[in-house]
Amino acid sequence: MAIMGALEAFVMNLAIIGTGYVGLTTGTCFAEVGHNVVCVDNNRDKVQALLDGKMPIYEPELEDLISSNVSAGRLAFTTDLAEAVATCDIIFIAVPTPPHDDGSVDLSYIEAVSHDIADALRPEYGYRVIVDKSTVPVSTGRKVYEVIARYSRADLDVDVVSNPEFLREGSAVQDLMHPDRVVIGTNSQRAMDLMKRVYQPFSAPIVEVDLASAELIKHAANSFLALKISYINAVSRVCEKSGADVELVAKGIGMDKRISRHFLNAGLGYGGSCFPKDVKGFINISRQLGAPLHLLEEVENINATQLEHFVNRIKEQLWVLRNKRIAVWGIAFKQNTDDVRESVAVKIIRRLAEEGALVTAYDPKAAETGAKALEGCPVEICDDMYECVRGAEVLVVATEWKQFANANLVRVRELMKLPIIFDGRNVIHGENAVHAGFEYHSVGRKSLYPANK
Ligand code: NAD
Ligand code: UGA
């Protein structure tokens, strides 16, 4: 009974507007710790699929958590935003914030939801907290408040909070259940106290800041991680020229706790729906504010040229790519996801096909999403990683899935026409590849050849 009492003390009614990667996983994890959650989306097909028990995305652990929380009556899905606003104390916004062509952030989804919330609010509902979870440029929260104040029908008791999300796709559930920190930005103590109640069951350190600082923390954090990746990729090119090994360099610098080994994996560059757009967004807002972050322009430049550098290295070996059979392992933008948004693997497949190569591709989870992203590109998507390499002259590893690292290389060698691996994610054990008869090329390390070559 004492435990029930303690539990009830923090349970709240939460609405999440936008049931995508962030909204669906966040809503489910809030339900898992005991809150009552309704996830709202304006995509009727997506909501119907969720009501039918079908998953719109692949994310480890998520399906079981959704089903147990729906059964427990703590998690619901709807298209009815007004009903969610009527019944929930806190309303989270988790809609897309894609880039415009000039790099600025398209805030029209945020504006539309703010407008919808304003329409739905009624004075008799009492105090409401509107929380922005989407990644936005600094000062967006203030504009959300202004839209709500302008379009709502009466004087309302509302506060706006920024609570940026730091989950990674592929480990979203674990990241949400055990966050390094929770950032809450608001200028209202009342809203802060309610938000701390929401996060009480997570026992994570809470960073209490003002609205603008919270918004900036998110852009600055993602840009810093992207900067680390571009830094190690630039270092990898120096390694290639000098005979050093980027993995050893990353280990040596990463053991300094001030630097850390995380996000120092050299590869084909960062992709995904967030780093590319958030670096652009941060560059854009910093320029608008008159404090331009030129440093991040170089981060982008290194990222953009990393793929071309890798393709040139393949060309150095194969000379002409036209009519060469190239197998690509990996289509998703990273391991453990089916997400192909801004995937570097998709870009390399397109690039090789443009050169006239005959490309086959395989991904454990992203075959369907990959087929859509690669529409019009002459690539054969295979449903088996070994079938994908049959008759190939080169194998390119483009995504860091574990099963590629653990592949049976002797079998791969038997199936391929020529024994050449280009490992764009440094996941294959080079010595094992050479043992199986391959010449092995990777990022930022000397190429390895069988003894008889
Ligand atoms: P998403 O595209 O997967 O999901 C967004 C959802 O919002 C979609 O289901 C869409 O139908 C819905 N939506 C759009 N307009 C709506 C409206 N007016 N009313 C109701 N629903 C609406 O996007 P995402 O990857 O979840 O990203 C959402 C935000 O979170 C972005 O700002 C992103 O930068 C940020 N973010 C993403 C991640 C990630 O790993 N994907 C991590 C942290 C932060
Ligand atoms: C990233 C951040 O890690 C999250 O904290 C953040 O919440 C999220 O963006 C977001 O704002 O959306 P995510 O994009 O899901 O998460 O995946 P990451 O694991 O960060 O990988 C991003 C890209 O960087 C991938 O293409 C990956 O292959 C690449 N990467 C990552 C490297 O090339 N090297 C590394 O060392 C790490």
Side-chain angles (χ1 to χ4, degrees), residues 115-128:
H115 211 132
D116 290 346
I117 293 172
D119 277 347
L121 282 168
R122 301 284 180 277
E124 61 269 25
Y125 297 162
Y127 182 54
R128 288 287 184 268

Side-chain angles (χ1 to χ4, degrees), residues 17-22 41-43 46 94-97 109 113 134-135 165 167 169 218 273-274 277 341:
I17 319 289
T19 309
Y21 280 90
V22 168
D41 207 284
N42 63 356
N43 180 333
K46 185 180 266 192
V95 294
T97 48
Y109 297 85
V113 171
S134 296
T135 302
E165 183 47 59
L167 68 80
E169 291 182 23
K218 177 63 192 178
S273 66
C274 292
K277 91 165 161 62
R341 292 179 287 181

